[in-house]
Amino acid sequence: MKLVIGVLISGSGSNLQAIIDNIANSNIPGSKISAVVSNKKEAFGLERARKAGVDALFIDPGDFSDDLAYNAKIADEFIKRGVNIVCCLLYTSPSP
């Protein structure tokens, strides 16, 4: 089974870059990053994702009434992209 990875980030994305590089160098065979989601619009990791051709999404926690609604939106975005594993890379979970 192919790994279709969804990634949660809040910052610079240095760990994300390591995954991107390892996939590009065939060190993680049969895998791809399908989407990167951040709760911080200015997170540099979103730019890293874009440069790698990965969907980069800022989802504003302030747009949701509670954590459940916010997390459901993240899950929906991952499901739309066929994600079957999620990596939480130093992600700071917001409390709307």
Side-chain angles (χ1 to χ4, degrees):
M1 174 169 80
K2 183 171 185 159
L3 286 179
V4 182
I5 304 167
V7 180
L8 295 169
I9 63 162
S10 289
S12 70
S14 56
N15 291 322
L16 168 66
Q17 189 64 55
I19 295 171
I20 290 168
D21 293 345
N22 276 283
I23 290 171
N25 293 327
S26 300
N27 293 327
I28 310 174
S31 62
K32 73 171 190 166
I33 300 173
S34 182
V36 173
V37 173
S38 180
N39 61 335
K40 296 183 179 176
K41 188 175 186 175
E42 70 283 355
F44 185 69
L46 293 173
E47 182 59 28
R48 291 180 192 264
R50 287 184 200 102
K51 285 183 180 179
V54 175
D55 288 349
L57 308 168
F58 162 63
I59 300 177
D60 188 346
D63 291 345
F64 300 88
S65 59
D66 57 29
D67 287 343
L68 185 61
Y70 176 72
N71 291 332
K73 175 63 174 171
I74 293 171
D76 287 345
E77 293 298 335
F78 284 156
I79 289 166
K80 280 186 218 176
R81 291 166 175 82
V83 168
N84 57 26
I85 188 167
V86 174
C87 294
C88 186
L89 302 177
L90 300 175
Y91 179 74
T92 306
S93 180
S95 211

